Amino acid sequence: MTTATPDTGATPALKPYLRLLTATQFAFNTGFYAVLPYLAAHLGDGLGMAGWIVGLVLGLRTFSQQGLFVVGGALTDRYGPRPVVLTGCVLRIAGFCWLAQAGSTATVIGAVLLIGFAAALFSPAVESETARAAVAHETATGTPRAQVLAVFSAAGQAGAFLGPLLGSLLLLLGGDFRTACLAGAVVFVGVLAGHAKLMPHRPHRPPTARTGAALPREVFANRPFLVLCLAYSSYLVSYNQLYLALPAEVERATGSQSALGGLFALSSLLVVVAQLPLTRWSARRLPPRTALVTGLAVVATGFVAVPLAPDGPAGLLPAAALVVLLTLGQMLLVPAARGLVPDLVDDHRLGLATGALSSVSGLAVLVGSAATGTLLDTPGAVLWTVLATVPLTGAALALTLPGGRRTPEPVTAVTD
């Protein structure tokens, strides 16, 4: 007789399938962020597009991705993750190759819509499958699911950190935006080959009377899940301020936005270095709901700290405090929130729910960004106080959620 005990090392011992999904997230972000940071400059400087067209293209990419996550999730529930992931890979490869050649507004828009829709297929399938596998791993080994999901998040952040470096390296070696697009396509060829070989087949579910219109209703009429969506949306609206309010603060403090790259690198490095130990600590000591509420409170503290923090070297101390606290809050709440989803929805609806979580949050970011934009010219104390109320409201909503499953006792496995 052997006894399986929870993993207590720095990284949980993942089964091969979970390792595949985690490596997928790393490769996905590496390929994506090798291209995305240079898209705006390529459109404006390389193709001579007007600023409003550049903004439209970037907005359409975000909408075609976040807004359609719910579609990818529903298709995952219907057909299983394998065909959805493989289709997403093929579309992403085609989109990057098309973008490398696109020279007109219409062709660029077509390429970025294809790239965004590819992610809307790929990401919910991989994320829901990771959540499902994390729950099974928790049941089998006692390792908290949040700890497994933290590995997944850290891998994604590592890819987000490495991708721009890869793109910069290609540019330094004499490449151009087209080279970066083709390099991103090559990464996804590798992801496609790996999943075609290693991702298991799963019989798709035959249509039933509950398929179709009833399927979304079963998720969107689920009050606890909707509360989770709203609480998670408050986090994403807050986190989006790294791209909206933070640049304004950096420019106010230093006269330019040149320090933004270093602050974003700081955020990614924090996740890569601290995500696993922080989640390992919180998973053992905090129920998922408590971790979610605490994370949102930490995010709110980041906004409050901006007008209170004295100007540090080069005036960046308030901005650095905001980045650190938002990132710490993210590391606490994201694995907890995603770990709660399997407790709130039926397993057969997990793909749809995972997609809906992102789509609802994406819509909230769209509305919230427009509202925040109108506040950027107000006094700093007003702006940062209003921003702090967003995650605090989310934390209040999260207090009404179920606490989440406690980490199960280690199971005893009997072997011959």
Side-chain angles (χ1 to χ4, degrees):
M1 177 182 296
T2 60
T3 303
T5 58
D7 184 273
T8 57
T11 304
L14 301 183
K15 295 181 178 179
Y17 189 40
L18 275 169
R19 289 200 297 270
L20 170 67
L21 294 170
T22 301
T24 294
Q25 183 70 355
F26 170 76
F28 181 89
N29 278 0
T30 299
F32 180 66
Y33 285 101
V35 176
L36 182 65
Y38 311 103
L39 177 57
H42 170 69
L43 298 179
D45 300 334
L47 300 182
M49 292 184 178
W52 71 269
I53 297 179
V54 174
L56 174 64
V57 170
L58 296 178
L60 287 172
R61 188 210 63 80
T62 301
F63 173 77
S64 64
Q65 178 172 325
Q66 293 291 123
L68 297 178
F69 261 44
V70 66
V71 176
L75 291 173
T76 300
D77 288 337
R78 177 67 176 82
Y79 297 104
R82 179 184 168 89
V84 179
V85 166
L86 297 183
T87 302
C89 288
V90 171
L91 293 181
R92 178 55 66 91
I93 294 166
F96 276 161
C97 291
W98 188 4
L99 185 60
Q101 305 296 331
S104 67
T105 301
T107 55
V108 166
I109 288 176
V112 298
L113 286 175
L114 188 61
I115 290 170
F117 182 60
L121 294 178
F122 183 97
S123 291
V126 171
E127 290 173 9
S128 61
E129 195 68 359
T130 301
R132 184 178 286 110
V135 172
H137 189 71
E138 177 185 74
T139 302
T141 68
T143 300
R145 72 187 70 170
Q147 195 170 331
V148 175
L149 293 171
V151 178
F152 184 81
S153 295
Q157 285 294 331
F161 179 72
L162 181 63
L165 298 181
L166 174 61
S168 296
L169 178 62
L170 292 172
L171 296 178
L172 287 174
L173 293 176
D176 53 14
F177 181 76
R178 179 175 180 269
T179 306
C181 287
L182 295 178
V186 168
V187 171
F188 279 93
V189 169
V191 174
L192 174 63
H195 282 76
K197 181 176 181 180
L198 299 175
M199 199 167 205
H201 293 269
R202 181 176 297 164
H204 69 263
R205 300 181 178 91
T208 67
R210 301 175 66 177
T211 302
L215 187 150
R217 189 162 58 246
E218 291 178 12
V219 171
F220 293 114
N222 182 333
R223 182 185 175 279
F225 175 71
L226 288 180
V227 170
L228 177 63
C229 286
L230 293 175
Y232 193 75
S233 295
S234 73
Y235 147 69
L236 276 185
V237 170
S238 300
Y239 193 78
N240 195 60
Q241 301 314 312
L242 291 179
Y243 308 100
L244 190 59
L246 177 65
E249 169 61 22
V250 170
E251 187 159 0
R252 180 204 66 78
T254 66
S256 75
Q257 297 185 7
S258 59
L260 276 176
L263 291 172
F264 286 133
L266 172 63
S267 176
S268 293
L269 281 175
L270 275 174
V271 176
V272 172
V273 172
Q275 178 73 79
L276 297 184
L278 180 62
T279 304
R280 188 170 65 251
W281 173 84
S282 66
R284 298 295 181 189
R285 291 166 175 80
L286 303 177
R289 180 184 62 193
T290 305
L292 175 58
V293 171
T294 304
L296 288 168
V298 172
V299 170
T301 304
F303 292 126
V304 173
V306 174
L308 296 180
D311 286 344
L316 285 177
L317 183 58
L322 174 65
V323 169
V324 169
L325 289 170
L326 255 67
T327 305
L328 288 174
Q330 170 199 4
M331 290 189 287
L332 272 173
L333 70 90
V334 170
R338 295 200 174 277
L340 277 169
V341 174
D343 290 341
L344 301 179
V345 300
D346 186 272
D347 183 69
H348 291 174
R349 305 294 182 250
L350 187 56
L352 177 67
T354 301
L357 186 66
S358 293
S359 290
V360 171
S361 300
L363 179 60
V365 168
L366 181 62
V367 175
S369 295
T372 302
T374 65
L375 295 172
L376 290 179
D377 293 329
T378 62
V382 175
L383 169 66
W384 299 110
T385 299
V386 171
L387 290 177
T389 63
V390 175
L392 287 177
T393 301
L397 288 170
L399 285 172
T400 68
L401 290 169
R405 296 175 182 171
R406 294 183 177 276
T407 301
E409 293 298 322
V411 297
T412 300
V414 179
T415 59
D416 291 335

